[in-house]
Amino acid sequence: MAVLRWLTPRRRSATARSVLAGEASAEAARKSAEAAEAAQPVQDTDSGAAEPEFPVHGDERAAAFFDLDNTVMQGAAIFHFGRGLYKRKFFETRDLARFAWQQAWFRLAGFEDPEHMQDARDSALSIVKGHRVCELRSIGEEIYDEYMAERIWPGTRALAQAHLDAGQKVWLVTAAPVEIAQVIARRLGLTGALGTVAESIGGVYTGKLVGEPLHGPAKAEAVRALAAAENLDLSRCAAYSDSHNDIPMLSLVGHPYAINPDSKLRKHARELEWRLRDYRTGRKAAKVGIPAAAGVGAVAGGTAAAIALHRRRR
């Protein structure tokens, strides 16, 4: 990948930052997947059974891209990760009430406020600054078992498995830190993960990002970069997401799916006749995009997790 592009002057347009984030995430994902593939024995995938029309069995130029939060897993991975960090005393609780309100607002409004996103980014980076990458990966393994494993949507996991059974690669695409995304992908038996790349030197986080969070257009750029590197035909690929923010990514592929969609994505998907899947129960969940099992209780319960994203007051 074009590493030199990561070292261009700091003043960039939003599009340039998205491309930068996408390329950084794609390179990290490919390195992780190559290492995992090298460690796995070759398996015979020929079952001899009749294959479904989609996904197409044996199509090496097709792959599937899955958003993580509320698509593969109920809730936001970064909040569950933050909950684990809070338990391990990585930060204090002074902003707990403030964040509880912002998190509730985000879930009900269904879109991100730029200032909230900036605050979340800076806070998360300040928390991990100075910590070793291997430390965060090890903690991520523990947090997956503690908070994430039981929140995987069985229906979405079955969709991912269908692609794997067809011999296709399956990637997570998320704004969560790439190290955490890689843990989740490996635990689910997926190929790898595209995620937000935090800068590290000598295996220690610097408190800076490479590009920007892998969100919205940056996800599309990451998928585009990975597809080019993997020689994929995007018209034969599939993408899955719950959020209208991922319309750029969904629009790249020939087989877009709206999974547990928010109201804007549901409307957009119906207009374009995209496939829809909703694994939630309850009318309210379908209307506002909140998992029915969550509701207000999950907002309150997730507060301790989500505080990880906000700046500690000194």
Side-chain angles (χ1 to χ4, degrees):
M1 284 292 168
V3 178
L4 291 178
R5 294 185 64 180
W6 301 1
L7 305 177
T8 52
R10 297 177 62 185
R11 294 183 60 87
R12 308 175 184 274
S13 68
T15 299
R17 291 195 302 272
S18 293
V19 172
L20 179 63
E23 291 184 346
S25 184
E27 181 166 341
R30 292 195 72 227
K31 286 181 178 178
S32 175
E34 287 171 358
E37 186 176 355
Q40 294 295 324
V42 177
Q43 298 180 355
D44 182 7
T45 58
D46 184 8
S47 65
E51 302 301 338
E53 181 180 350
F54 183 81
V56 178
H57 188 274
D59 186 354
E60 296 182 354
R61 298 199 65 198
F65 303 94
F66 284 79
D67 169 56
L68 177 59
D69 297 346
N70 288 321
T71 302
V72 171
M73 182 175 67
Q74 179 180 324
I78 190 66
F79 299 145
H80 299 314
F81 183 59
R83 186 178 180 184
L85 294 182
Y86 175 68
K87 177 182 177 181
R88 291 162 175 79
K89 304 185 184 303
F90 268 63
F91 52 90
E92 301 172 2
T93 60
R94 298 178 187 178
D95 289 331
L96 192 61
R98 171 171 169 257
F99 185 79
W101 160 247
Q102 290 187 334
Q103 172 66 356
W105 176 88
F106 165 74
R107 283 177 174 264
L108 293 174
F111 63 92
E112 298 90 342
D113 180 276
E115 292 184 4
H116 293 178
M117 292 287 290
Q118 180 69 33
D119 189 36
R121 184 186 75 174
D122 292 345
S123 299
L125 289 170
S126 70
I127 289 170
V128 302
K129 182 179 180 180
H131 287 276
R132 300 196 66 82
V133 174
C134 61
E135 177 189 8
L136 269 292
R137 283 180 176 152
S138 177
I139 290 174
E141 297 280 355
E142 298 172 2
I143 292 174
Y144 178 85
D145 291 327
E146 292 172 1
Y147 302 117
M148 299 179 181
E150 64 183 10
R151 292 179 167 85
I152 302 300
W153 293 107
T156 313
R157 186 169 187 176
L159 291 173
Q161 189 62 47
H163 286 279
L164 292 170
D165 291 344
Q168 296 179 7
K169 293 183 177 181
V170 178
W171 305 83
L172 289 182
V173 189
T174 174
V178 67
E179 292 83 6
I180 305 308
Q182 289 169 351
V183 167
I184 297 171
R186 184 171 53 76
R187 290 298 194 92
L188 295 178
L190 308 183
T191 307
L194 296 153
T196 296
V197 178
E199 182 185 75
S200 63
I201 297 178
V204 178
Y205 290 112
T206 65
K208 300 177 182 179
L209 286 184
V210 177
E212 63 179 18
L214 202 70
H215 178 265
K219 281 189 178 182
E221 293 296 340
V223 169
R224 198 191 310 274
L226 184 62
E230 294 275 310
N231 193 31
L232 300 174
D233 181 347
L234 286 172
S235 69
R236 289 143 68 174
C237 293
Y240 301 78
S241 178
D242 72 299
S243 173
H244 69 279
N245 293 308
D246 288 338
I247 288 175
M249 177 182 74
L250 293 170
S251 299
L252 280 180
V253 301
H255 302 277
Y257 283 77
I259 305 294
N260 306 328
D262 61 30
S263 58
K264 290 184 179 179
L265 178 58
R266 183 181 295 272
K267 179 180 178 182
H268 188 84
R270 284 176 172 166
E271 289 175 350
L272 296 183
E273 298 183 346
W274 290 354
R275 297 178 180 90
L276 291 108
R277 299 285 187 277
D278 203 323
Y279 300 116
R280 302 163 298 184
T281 57
R283 236 175 123 137
K284 186 176 179 182
K287 286 181 68 176
V288 301
I290 301 176
V296 176
V299 173
T303 298
I307 187 63
L309 297 180
H310 280 257
R311 187 174 294 113
R312 289 174 289 177
R313 298 186 188 278
R314 289 180 171 81

